[in-house]
Amino acid sequence: PLLSAEAVLKAVKLVSSGRPHEAASELRLPLGEQHSVRAFCKVACRELKLSVPTPTALEGGPPLSEAAQRRLSEGVAQLDANLPGRLLVVRAGTAVSEETGKPLCPLSLVDRIFETAEELHKSTAARLATYQLETCADPPFSPWDATFQRLSAGGLLPTGPVEEDMPGMFPRRPLVLRLAWDGGDAVPTCSTALYDDAAWKEQRAAGAELEWALLEAATRDAPPVLLGVPR
């Protein structure tokens, strides 16, 4: 995401208070890049033309790493810059090009995943996936097929077996909570397990009557929760 002046100044304040990890989180720096946070704030303030209350707090420290430099370039991009990451087309809409009269987003692109915005723009009548794109929230809960497609497109679900998990891996393996209720005065029950891609494919029918949502953890170290509730 783009960097806001508020986020950068808050990060500078956190650095001044000796809290580089929190500053790195505020700036959405990659995990383990807190050592670059001083240099990052210094350059970000210059790019965004911000006046730093305590400039001495940003002196010293190692230079920007390659990962931090990529995040900085993304954060200070212009509004017409392409969105980063993979993109899933969920709806085509009805807008058409003023020049050609053709749909801006052809219906044939729905449910397709594009590795980059550039790849998507080869099939659209205009550059749509930029920071000027108006966003709307997805429903908090949706059927598993829609939830899986959205989370997979965002790279939020691990694909390997649990045994291959490594500390600090991303995406974090979510906890899967399935709620069951027989109606009436019946007491709801809950089953809990770690998400496993292979096992889930075999058990998809078990979640067919559920609506799903991914709940983000309160901290970076805690796993998210994939919650399934009865329809």
Side-chain angles (χ1 to χ4, degrees):
L2 294 179
L3 288 167
S4 66
E6 293 78 9
V8 174
L9 291 176
K10 181 178 180 181
V12 171
K13 186 175 180 180
L14 290 169
V15 170
S16 303
S17 303
R19 296 147 69 187
H21 286 81
E22 293 179 53
S25 179
E26 180 68 29
L27 298 168
R28 305 289 184 88
L29 279 169
L31 194 64
E33 291 295 327
Q34 66 276 359
H35 58 277
S36 295
V37 72
R38 292 179 184 273
F40 188 99
C41 287
K42 190 173 183 179
V43 179
C45 287
R46 183 174 67 243
E47 292 290 333
L48 298 177
K49 297 179 173 56
L50 301 178
S51 177
V52 182
T54 53
T56 55
L58 302 182
E59 298 300 329
L64 284 174
S65 65
E66 290 186 11
Q69 183 63 59
R70 287 194 297 271
R71 170 66 187 111
L72 179 65
S73 298
E74 172 191 299
V76 299
Q78 299 297 312
L79 288 177
D80 62 352
N82 288 334
L83 292 175
R86 294 190 295 170
L87 300 166
L88 165 67
V89 180
V90 295
R91 283 189 295 272
T94 59
V96 296
S97 169
E98 294 181 358
E99 297 179 358
T100 65
K102 295 181 179 180
L104 288 180
C105 181
L107 188 61
S108 59
L109 302 185
V110 173
D111 290 337
R112 285 183 56 186
I113 297 174
F114 296 86
E115 292 299 320
T116 64
E118 289 86 349
E119 182 183 338
L120 170 64
H121 293 157
K122 293 177 183 178
S123 303
T124 59
R127 293 177 60 250
L128 304 177
T130 71
Y131 284 105
Q132 293 174 317
L133 180 69
E134 293 186 12
T135 59
C136 59
D138 287 313
F141 286 88
S142 58
W144 174 248
D145 285 345
T147 300
F148 177 79
Q149 193 172 45
R150 186 165 65 241
L151 297 180
S152 296
L156 298 176
L157 289 176
T159 56
V162 176
E163 295 77 16
E164 295 182 2
D165 285 5
M166 299 290 290
M169 65 176 276
F170 182 84
R172 296 296 303 270
R173 187 172 299 278
L175 294 173
V176 180
L177 271 65
R178 290 188 180 92
L179 298 182
W181 180 54
D182 294 330
D185 296 331
V187 177
T189 59
C190 177
S191 64
T192 307
L194 279 174
Y195 176 84
D196 184 277
D197 184 58
W200 178 261
K201 289 178 180 177
E202 297 175 1
Q203 302 173 14
R204 286 181 63 182
E209 299 304 318
L210 301 178
E211 296 273 327
W212 294 89
L214 185 71
L215 310 181
E216 294 294 336
T219 68
R220 275 186 156 189
D221 297 326
V225 173
L226 192 55
L227 176 63
V229 299
R231 295 183 182 178

